[in-house]
Amino acid sequence: MSFASLDLIEGLLRALESIGYNSPTPIQKQAIPAVLAGRDLLAAAQTGTGKTAAFALPLLQRLSMEGEQASPNNIRCLVLVPTRELAEQVYQSFHTYGFHLPLRSAVAYGGVPMEPQLAKLRKGIDVLVATPGRLLDLHRKGALEFGQLQALVLDEADRMLDLGFAADLDLLFSVLPAQRQTLLFSATMPEPIRQMAAQLLRNPLTVQASAPNTAARTVRQTVFTTDKRNKPELFVHLLRKEGWGQVLVFVKTRKGAEYLVGLLQDEGIGADSIHGDKAQTARIKALKRFKANAVQVLVATDVAARGLDIEALPLVVNFDLPSVAEDYIHRIGRTGRAGADGEAISLVCADEVDMLRAIEKLIGSVLPRLEEAGFEADHRVPATGASAAPAARATAKPAAKPAKAGTARPATPEAPRPAGGFGGLKEELPPKEKQRPRAPLKGARGGSPGAGRGAASGPAGSAGKVVVTATRGAKSAARAAGRAASKAGTRGNKR
Ligand code: AMP
């Protein structure tokens, strides 16, 4: 099926051709005709499905065909999004798709000066993409009126509620004209979203772009079990050994992001971060540098990463598992986009087992586990998927291509624990002598949140051959050998 068969106008078709979109994605096929016909829409769609074009294309067409001009400080179409990054991205999409149309668009979010936004609004805007907080500020200042508003889009509505925008949204809905077209997009459909839909939408077409866990099925996923303190070194080791190109790395905290960036830079690996403590300009700069390949690793927290669109990203690494299982799907949705190949690797330690279990429950399968020689977990990550057995055992072997044969091996999950998960963890703590501090990675910083020092002890062995035994000394030696091999650029066992 072509875009032309969806009755899109020539200006849009030209733009789509120039960016290489040949055929509509499933959600675009369903949504575009309905939105063109003026219907409301309730869409269960996550990022990576082409949802932005699904609403942007038909809305741009409607706005340009009606030909009306927006009066000063008025807008004709409002797209609400949860984060600044998503606002920029959606705005860019409107700009790209609407390149040949005589429409004005603008973006407004907090954390940057308001004056340029006020100046743009003064001229009247056809499409405004905004976060709820800044939008209300602009309205309160009298810079924004809604009398001409024809269409409202709520993008990633579930995330807006997660981020505490419910009150702002209610306020906003009360000042918008009742006569309008409303499109609601949400990755998940919990009860509050259903209520919001019931309140806002009139006889909507309901579309389901993909089951919530579809991305999880199309991206190759692997778990490396290890100890928390080994994660930084394991990451560096895998990056070198596997010859990873650009990697998007997710961590749980802002401090954790900064720590990892410092550590990678000390190792001579180009890295930058994107998280809530950074000014918006710094975040945009970091993203631009990553997109331009000026840095190899971008370390991100969940909120900041929401809405990031990086084309053809081959690999996402979960340095920490997210505490909300849905975020795992959002994270891995950054790779394998629009049909491209994607891989997601998670470094998982024992105290993340509950999160792992929640993720596996959500995606409906037990993730294959690997252990990297020299980085095996002393605190074994308990078996998950007891209720999903026997598949758990069957999938413990990697379904995808395995990590380098000979140095990584399927991790053997422990026997399932009694209910309560963490109950027996204390007993697993290693004896005192095993807990002694280890030599840090080159330039490793103190006070890492949640990340211990990588082991650098043990003589560097000859590259390539790695023998794994259960003893700490042997593990250190194996690790050092693995490091030497990866630093020497050994590619013999490439995954
Ligand atoms: P979204 O789900 O809107 O975040 O889009 C995910 C990615 O798919 C973006 O990189 C889009 O540029 C891309 N995309 C959207 N629609 C198409 C299409 N019909 N053909 C190819 N790529 C697309």
Side-chain angles (χ1 to χ4, degrees), residues 49-355:
T49 55
K51 67 181 169 66
T52 315
F55 60 79
L57 292 170
L59 288 175
L60 282 165
Q61 177 151 330
R62 279 174 67 85
L63 291 167
S64 80
M65 292 192 62
E66 277 159 23
E68 192 194 349
Q69 288 280 310
S71 312
N73 295 109
N74 268 272
I75 57 174
R76 297 171 66 207
C77 170
L78 171 62
V79 183
L80 281 174
V81 296
T83 64
R84 301 159 183 186
E85 283 74 19
L86 186 60
E88 274 294 342
Q89 187 192 311
V90 170
Y91 167 66
Q92 285 303 332
S93 297
F94 270 96
H95 182 76
T96 304
Y97 305 145
F99 191 76
H100 302 291
L101 305 180
L103 296 172
R104 270 204 293 260
S105 52
V107 61
Y109 46 75
V112 293
M114 203 183 258
E115 196 47 50
Q117 298 171 3
L118 294 174
K120 270 207 149 186
L121 285 173
R122 248 173 248 135
K123 295 182 191 146
I125 290 294
D126 296 297
V127 180
L128 178 67
V129 182
T131 52
R134 175 56 62 98
L135 189 84
L136 276 177
D137 288 346
L138 290 165
H139 179 61
R140 284 192 198 103
K141 272 191 170 298
L144 187 57
E145 290 162 28
F146 299 112
Q148 282 186 287
L149 189 90
Q150 297 166 28
L152 167 71
V153 181
L154 296 158
D155 191 15
E156 303 200 354
D158 51 350
R159 193 62 170 185
M160 285 200 267
L161 295 190
D162 285 351
L163 293 177
F165 285 128
D168 281 353
L169 289 176
D170 280 344
L171 229 129
L172 199 66
F173 298 153
S174 70
V175 296
L176 297 182
Q179 193 63 38
R180 56 159 202 261
Q181 183 176 19
T182 307
L183 318 178
L184 192 157
F185 287 76
S186 191
T188 57
M189 288 287 162
E191 189 48 32
I193 294 291
R194 288 177 202 281
Q195 281 174 17
M196 186 191 278
Q199 177 202 340
L200 297 178
L201 305 175
R202 289 194 196 137
N203 182 29
L205 174 75
T206 302
V207 299
Q208 169 98 31
S210 53
N213 59 4
T214 301
R217 279 195 222 110
T218 56
V219 174
R220 205 165 48 231
Q221 299 161 77
T222 315
V223 160
F224 275 86
T225 53
T226 192
D227 287 331
K228 188 184 262 183
R229 64 172 177 257
N230 289 338
K231 283 189 181 184
E233 201 180 3
L234 174 58
F235 176 77
V236 171
H237 166 82
L238 289 173
L239 180 125
R240 289 188 171 134
K241 179 184 131 184
E242 303 297 336
W244 286 345
Q246 284 204 293
V247 197
L248 178 61
V249 182
F250 284 96
V251 295
K252 213 155 53 179
T253 65
R254 300 162 185 194
K255 266 177 127 180
E258 281 310 301
Y259 170 77
L260 186 59
V261 166
L263 197 138
L264 293 173
Q265 286 172 346
D266 290 344
E267 285 288 306
I269 298 163
D272 209 336
S273 65
I274 180 158
H275 57 72
D277 276 348
K278 279 197 152 180
Q280 184 59 22
T281 43
R283 292 198 220 176
I284 291 172
K285 194 169 153 211
L287 186 56
K288 274 196 179 143
R289 290 180 67 212
F290 185 66
K291 283 187 171 184
N293 218 343
V295 290
Q296 186 181 2
V297 180
L298 183 65
V299 184
T301 56
D302 287 296
V303 169
R306 188 79 180 202
L308 289 189
D309 182 22
I310 299 151
E311 267 176 45
L313 189 66
L315 175 64
V316 163
V317 170
N318 294 306
F319 189 88
D320 303 313
L321 286 185
S323 38
V324 177
E326 276 84 4
D327 281 341
Y328 176 81
I329 292 177
H330 294 309
R331 287 177 176 192
I332 71 170
R334 310 282 132 205
T335 179
R337 314 197 89 187
D341 257 4
E343 178 159 17
I345 290 176
S346 303
L347 311 185
V348 178
C349 63
D351 62 7
E352 291 173 305
V353 69
D354 280 353
M355 294 172 227

